[in-house]
Amino acid sequence: MSYKKTAAFRAAQDRAPIYEALEEFKRKRIVPFDVPGHKRGRGNPELTAFLGEQALTVDVNSMKPLDNLCHPVSVIKDAEALAAEAFGAAHAFFMVNGTTSAVQGMILTACKKGDKIIVPRNVHRSVINALVLCGAEPVYVNPEVDHRLGIALGMSVSQVEKAILENPEAKAVLVNNPTYYGICSDLCGIVQLAHKHGLLVLADEAHGTHLYFGKNLPVSAMGAGADMAAVSMHKSGGSLTQSSFMLLGPAVNAGYARQIINLTQTTSGSYLLLSSLDISRRNLALNGEEIFAHVVELAEYVRHEINQIGDFYAFSKELVNGDSVYDFDVTKLSIYTRDIGLAGIEVYDILRDEYDIQIEFGDIGNILAYISVGDRNRDVERLISALSEIKRRYMRDKAGMFTQEYIDPEVVTTPQQAFYAKKESLPIHETVGRVCSEFVMCYPPGIPILAPGERITQDIIDYIDYAKEKGCSMTGPEDLSIERLNVLQGV
């Protein structure tokens, strides 16, 4: 019997120290002469009416009875210990600046200026942001691509081994577990290989909270023996937006990691976010297996029904090849749309504008409908019906559509050097051959088409033009219209 099934585990996990401290604080009816200035909502009636008195009364500042996020000694410390136990980690940090700050915390803990870190190029922008901040040098592993779906796959162990042998001074390897689309690399194999060569393994688990609690799902980072993981509790775990965990294995100095986190995370941690993490951790620790069994059942049902419609393709474990797709997260309802002649972003827009259905994202060839703890049967039936009707109403010839989501970059210099270098602004169509000094991406998913330090090619410009034409939400450049790009002077 696993520890998570024991009475002792369940008794411990039934506590929520931060939530309990806030409830006790409310009972005391303390008169506030501290911040925030709305004073439990009394100073901003419109906000109180909108968010509710219950929320505003616990939107409070750090104080002794409620502990301090930067230096926890009581209830936050206790809550961290419970979270670490629930996730099978040596330590857990409550993150209130989003998983972006957890990713930055991992990389800044593992790397200093000039250090090398091995990363897949299809990372979230937060990874490359961290490299801009700390000056570490990325060793990019260009993932294989599924040429039908046009999506980047995982890192193979052989690719990681080649990168390690060619860069023996590298300090760490970062792995997406899983990708936005549900693709999983051989995390156990990569951990074993990296540790053999003395490298730390970091996992971006922005989309992997459920891996720690569900059964028959891909391995979690801590389960695979990784050294650090950034976990978006708010995505599939039910906590409030912007609340996440940074998990550590036993080989990482927790005191140093907290110092790094405190460089970038707010000193005024929101108790709404902290308590949502505490309560959601308790819920998943006690009920996660049943919750995610239901999520898997829903996702598999919807996947089957969508594939019965025809021409849409909701892909799954049939992609597994034991290498670049080592496993697949079946909770991810990723759907290929190009066979009906529509880009994913076009289906995304139609679902929202005509059917009042908001999915997670649409890109050039796919959409992602996020199935999680809060979904109901009638909601997924509505999605299935809408997609069937969209096919009937909008299907057209797919000739001339872009087929590639991922374009291998040519890296010229490091993200930090490029971002802070002398630069000039040029019309985007005059930048071919130049080196970009900023980001360009569709958001979501937030994987850069261009990152600082990469050569701009005609294929990349064509992709950006096509994505803009199809209605993708483009972000990153200084010029919000994305008519101009900043490039390095003289390069």
Side-chain angles (χ1 to χ4, degrees):
M1 180 184 292
S2 72
Y3 176 55
K4 286 193 176 185
K5 295 289 188 182
T6 66
F9 174 85
R10 295 187 66 83
Q13 290 294 321
D14 196 39
R15 291 200 56 220
I18 298 172
Y19 164 71
E20 292 160 10
L22 286 168
E23 289 283 48
E24 176 64 21
F25 171 79
K26 285 168 59 178
R27 283 193 289 270
K28 290 184 176 179
R29 302 172 64 86
I30 292 171
V31 178
F33 286 102
D34 61 350
V35 297
H38 62 68
K39 301 299 175 79
R40 317 294 187 258
R42 293 192 298 273
N44 195 337
E46 186 178 12
L47 183 65
T48 303
F50 179 60
L51 294 181
E53 185 179 352
Q54 181 78 357
L56 271 292
T57 57
V58 293
D59 181 33
V60 295
N61 195 27
S62 296
M63 59 188 76
K64 280 190 176 181
L66 298 179
D67 210 354
N68 186 300
L69 182 60
C70 296
H71 189 87
V73 295
S74 58
V75 294
I76 295 177
K77 181 180 179 182
D78 293 343
E80 286 180 344
L82 287 170
E85 179 184 53
F87 283 87
H91 198 91
F93 295 99
F94 280 55
M95 308 297 294
V96 295
N97 284 25
T99 310
T100 288
S101 68
V103 168
Q104 292 173 347
M106 290 195 306
I107 293 174
L108 271 64
T109 298
C111 300
K112 298 180 177 64
K113 185 176 178 65
D115 287 345
K116 289 184 177 182
I117 178 171
I118 297 166
V119 299
R121 176 53 183 77
N122 59 321
V123 289
H124 187 264
R125 69 168 295 173
S126 59
V127 173
I128 302 175
N129 284 349
L131 302 180
V132 170
L133 291 174
C134 75
E137 178 181 342
V139 176
Y140 288 128
V141 172
N142 284 314
E144 291 182 18
V145 172
D146 183 298
H147 292 289
R148 176 187 175 185
L149 303 176
I151 63 171
L153 304 177
M155 290 194 296
S156 68
V157 174
S158 60
Q159 285 180 312
V160 175
E161 183 174 35
K162 182 174 184 289
I164 291 174
L165 293 176
E166 291 177 353
N167 300 273
E169 70 279 27
K171 301 296 184 184
V173 179
L174 183 137
V175 186
N176 295 318
N177 191 53
T179 70
Y180 226 140
Y181 300 98
I183 306 296
C184 297
S185 301
D186 180 3
L187 187 55
C188 290
I190 291 171
V191 168
Q192 184 177 9
L193 173 69
H195 286 175
K196 176 183 172 184
H197 290 273
L199 280 73
L200 295 174
V201 178
L202 324 179
D204 181 347
E205 287 190 313
H207 301 279
T209 303
H210 51 288
L211 304 184
Y212 289 88
F213 303 98
K215 289 184 69 176
N216 302 316
L217 292 173
V219 68
S220 67
M222 292 296 106
D227 299 289
M228 287 185 265
V231 180
S232 285
M233 191 69 164
H234 67 94
K235 288 189 170 74
S236 60
S239 66
L240 292 178
T241 295
Q242 202 174 306
S243 60
S244 299
F245 286 117
M246 178 173 149
L247 308 177
L248 301 187
V252 181
N253 182 331
Y256 178 66
R258 191 183 299 281
Q259 286 184 316
I260 293 294
I261 290 168
N262 286 342
L263 292 176
T264 57
Q265 181 156 258
T266 178
T267 57
S268 303
S270 164
Y271 278 86
L272 295 174
L273 299 181
L274 293 172
S275 58
S276 82
L277 282 169
D278 203 21
I279 293 167
S280 299
R281 180 272 312 154
R282 178 170 68 179
N283 184 39
L284 295 189
L286 299 179
N287 307 305
E289 190 173 308
E290 294 78 13
I291 288 169
F292 293 117
H294 177 63
V295 170
V296 168
E297 182 182 2
L298 266 185
E300 293 284 42
Y301 168 73
V302 182
R303 183 176 288 112
H304 175 266
E305 293 298 307
I306 289 171
N307 286 333
Q308 291 295 107
I309 295 170
D311 297 304
F312 286 112
Y313 173 34
F315 47 92
S316 186
K317 281 184 174 287
E318 68 276 3
L319 299 184
V320 171
N321 58 24
D323 188 27
S324 56
V325 188
Y326 188 78
D327 205 347
F328 186 85
D329 174 12
V330 295
T331 72
K332 297 292 183 293
L333 186 62
S334 302
I335 306 163
Y336 176 71
T337 67
R338 267 196 295 260
D339 283 345
I340 69 163
L342 293 177
I345 186 62
E346 292 175 307
V347 176
Y348 171 100
D349 286 340
I350 293 168
L351 283 168
R352 183 194 60 243
D353 296 341
E354 300 190 27
Y355 295 90
D356 295 327
I357 294 173
Q358 181 62 58
I359 58 172
E360 175 66 12
F361 80 84
D363 55 27
I364 298 302
N366 302 274
I367 59 175
L368 174 66
Y370 218 96
I371 308 293
S372 67
V373 59
D375 285 301
R376 302 170 297 183
N377 289 30
R378 66 175 181 265
D379 297 327
V380 300
E381 293 292 353
R382 187 170 164 185
L383 174 64
I384 294 163
S385 297
L387 289 174
S388 179
E389 195 168 306
I390 287 169
K391 178 194 170 184
R392 178 179 60 80
R393 293 175 60 200
Y394 291 100
M395 186 169 179
R396 60 186 184 226
D397 193 315
K398 64 180 179 179
M401 298 186 72
F402 261 53
T403 60
Q404 193 77 352
E405 296 289 351
Y406 178 77
I407 301 172
D408 288 353
E410 178 193 343
V411 180
V412 179
T413 188
T414 68
Q416 187 184 65
Q417 289 171 332
F419 189 82
Y420 290 113
K422 290 184 178 179
K423 62 194 75 172
E424 58 181 315
S425 174
L426 294 177
I428 189 168
H429 293 102
E430 296 177 18
T431 61
V432 174
R434 303 295 294 272
V435 178
C436 193
S437 70
E438 55 187 353
F439 293 93
V440 183
M441 72 204 78
C442 299
Y443 192 87
I447 299 167
I449 302 164
L450 272 172
E454 295 176 355
R455 183 84 65 190
I456 302 167
T457 66
Q458 188 61 53
D459 283 346
I460 289 171
I461 297 299
D462 291 344
Y463 183 98
I464 292 170
D465 286 342
Y466 185 81
K468 288 169 64 178
E469 175 193 331
K470 291 298 183 182
C472 289
S473 178
M474 308 291 290
T475 67
E478 185 177 320
D479 174 21
L480 297 181
S481 66
I482 318 187
E483 298 296 333
R484 304 179 70 87
L485 286 179
N486 288 338
V487 297
L488 270 62
Q489 282 188 3
V491 183

